[in-house]
């Protein structure tokens, strides 16, 4: 927590501020209540965002849907196909780059799907499945025409590889969405500070952190840098979990 008199951090169990010596027993309940209110406001804002997204899905025009699907479906599909053509036809480099690209391209779209359009992991799984299926179908078509071979897989092993690749694209899309949810839940919990933070950090907190006063935004932003290490650790854990899921799917499919 932060002392309301000198703005220095103090231990949650402290009775007196170690910096200014002021008694904290009377103000502690107020500080805790304010923190609880901030968390509750963030939680309610997330619910409002989800309800608005649901209402927008049902009430939006065809033009809105065309733009929405163009951004979250067509764009990653085009990028994946372009990456596949470049790595396999133009430059003929290692397939490792193809695998890395299949993770790096869908992930930001899954992230933006939640942050900008407030579509949760269920929608990211659906969008990721479509992106994976259409992209892989397009890749098979490109290989078929350029190498003059059959477009469709010819045996169970080839079908397994195709399915594995499509699933890896879907998981990358979902991982981006999960990372966005993690960021949304961590940033509103940052504590207050009083020094002037970086304007870019303030803008990020304003986008991700929900409604708050300008003073609260400044204080949150000052503590965001302290939480970046935690976010990085959590992102690494999620990445490892995604890689484990991907490896598990390969083993499962390989044993079938």
């Amino acid at each position: 927590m932060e002392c309301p008199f000198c703005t220095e951090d103090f231990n949650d169990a402290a009775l007196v501020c170690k910096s200014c010596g002021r008694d904290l027993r009377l103000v502690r309940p107020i500080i805790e209540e304010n923190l609880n209110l901030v968390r509750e406001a963030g939680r309610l804002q997330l619910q409002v965002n989800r309800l608005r997204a649901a209402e927008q899905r049902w009430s939006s025009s065809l033009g809105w849907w065309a733009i929405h699907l163009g951004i979250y479906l067509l764009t990653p599909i085009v990028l994946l196909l372009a990456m596949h053509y470049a790595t396999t036809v133009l430059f003929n480099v290692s397939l490792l780059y193809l695998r890395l690209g299949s993770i790096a391209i869908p992930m930001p779209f899954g992230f933006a799907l939640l942050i900008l359009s407030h579509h949760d992991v269920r929608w990211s799984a659906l969008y990721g499945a479509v992106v994976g299926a259409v992209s892989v179908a397009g890749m098979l078509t490109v290989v078929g025409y350029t190498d003059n071979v059959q477009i469709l897989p010819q045996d169970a092993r080839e079908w397994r590889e195709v399915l594995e690749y499509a699933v890896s694209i879907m998981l990358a899309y979902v991982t981006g969405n999960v990372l966005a949810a993690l960021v949304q839940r961590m940033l509103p919990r940052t504590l207050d500070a009083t020094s002037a933070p970086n304007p870019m950090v303030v803008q990020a907190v304003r986008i991700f952190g929900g409604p708050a006063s300008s003073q609260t935004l400044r204080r949150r932003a000052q503590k965001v840098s302290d939480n970046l290490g935690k976010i990085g650790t959590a992102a690494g854990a999620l990445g490892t979990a995604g890689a484990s899921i991907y490896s598990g799917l390969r083993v499962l499919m390989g044993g079938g």
Side-chain angles (χ1 to χ4, degrees), residues 45-57:
Q45 183 62 48
L46 291 178
Q47 290 183 355
V48 170
N49 290 340
R50 285 194 290 267
L51 291 173
R52 286 177 176 173
E55 192 240 343
Q56 191 173 40
R57 285 194 294 267

